């Protein structure tokens, strides 16, 4: 989940395609340090990329491509939702996050032939789960115990 400032930066990049840090400073009325922190975080998360060297630096949205399954079309926001929410733990105990984990699970369960349909089904279930009304009633061994209201 991103702060509203990071979402604003992403929105500006969608609109303008490329933007320089000083433009963000002026547009968002933030300090250079604050803008720099947001740009570094978005770059580290793979959402944007830096073009050029100081003093002529631009940022733009990074191309979101899925290379896991041939002939699969997923939108960047769908990929990002899976990246942010999916965790697969292999039988060997290896933690695989995001698209890598999702595709590994699909292959392990022999569902990779219908990967796009499977991804859309997961996203629909995730959306439904986020709309459920529940309360945390305790914790046990690091897991939250929940009760549906």
């Amino acid at each position: 989940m991103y702060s509203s400032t990071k979402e604003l930066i992403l929105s500006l990049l969608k609109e303008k395609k490329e933007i320089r840090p000083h433009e963000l400073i002026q547009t968002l009325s933030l300090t250079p340090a604050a803008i720099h922190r947001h740009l570094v975080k978005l770059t580290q998360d793979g959402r944007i990329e830096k073009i050029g060297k100081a003093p002529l630096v631009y940022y733009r949205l990074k191309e979101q491509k899925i290379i896991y399954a041939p002939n699969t079309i997923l939108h960047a926001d769908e990929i990002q939702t899976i990246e942010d929410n999916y965790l697969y733990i292999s039988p060997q105990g290896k933690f695989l996050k995001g698209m890598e984990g999702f595709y590994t699970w699909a292959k392990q369960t022999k569902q990779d032939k219908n990967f796009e349909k499977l991804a859309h089904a997961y996203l629909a279930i995730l959306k439904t789960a986020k709309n459920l009304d529940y309360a945390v009633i305790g914790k046990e061994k690091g897991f939250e115990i929940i009760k549906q209201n």
Side-chain angles (χ1 to χ4, degrees):
M1 173 95 6
Y2 286 102
S3 71
S4 58
T5 301
K6 288 185 185 74
E7 291 300 333
L8 279 170
I9 291 170
L10 292 171
S11 177
L12 286 168
L13 284 168
K14 283 180 189 174
E15 180 185 316
K16 294 187 173 215
K17 305 299 180 215
E18 290 184 344
I19 199 162
R20 295 185 63 196
H22 79 273
E23 293 174 76
L24 291 170
I25 292 165
Q26 292 171 347
T27 304
L28 301 176
S29 299
L30 293 172
T31 65
I35 292 294
H36 178 72
R37 272 195 312 274
H38 291 298
L39 292 172
V40 166
K41 178 70 173 140
L42 287 166
T43 303
Q44 289 172 343
D45 289 349
R47 300 290 306 270
I48 65 173
E49 59 187 347
K50 180 179 174 180
I51 307 298
K53 292 183 180 182
L56 193 57
V57 173
Y58 289 87
Y59 288 87
R60 67 179 178 199
L61 291 174
K62 191 167 184 181
E63 288 289 319
Q64 297 282 336
K65 295 179 184 172
I66 181 165
I67 57 171
Y68 302 103
N71 303 318
T72 298
I73 299 171
L74 294 175
H75 295 284
D77 61 328
E78 294 171 323
I79 293 170
Q80 192 60 48
T81 299
I82 294 172
E83 285 290 340
D84 292 343
N85 293 283
Y86 196 82
L87 173 66
Y88 172 69
I89 304 172
S90 73
Q92 297 78 24
K94 186 175 180 183
F95 287 71
L96 299 172
K97 295 180 182 180
M99 291 298 293
E100 180 184 12
F102 191 76
Y103 187 66
T104 301
W105 170 78
K107 281 185 76 164
Q108 291 287 336
T109 58
K110 300 186 184 341
Q111 298 182 73
D112 55 316
K113 300 277 189 262
N114 296 315
F115 185 76
E116 185 175 343
K117 185 177 178 182
L118 185 66
H120 286 125
Y122 169 72
L123 292 165
I125 291 167
L126 185 62
K127 184 177 181 181
T128 302
K130 286 186 176 188
N131 291 329
L132 291 177
D133 185 22
Y134 65 89
V136 176
I137 58 173
K139 281 192 174 191
E140 186 174 313
K141 297 182 182 177
F143 293 94
E144 292 181 340
I145 301 168
I146 62 171
K147 175 184 151 192
Q148 189 169 355
N149 293 329

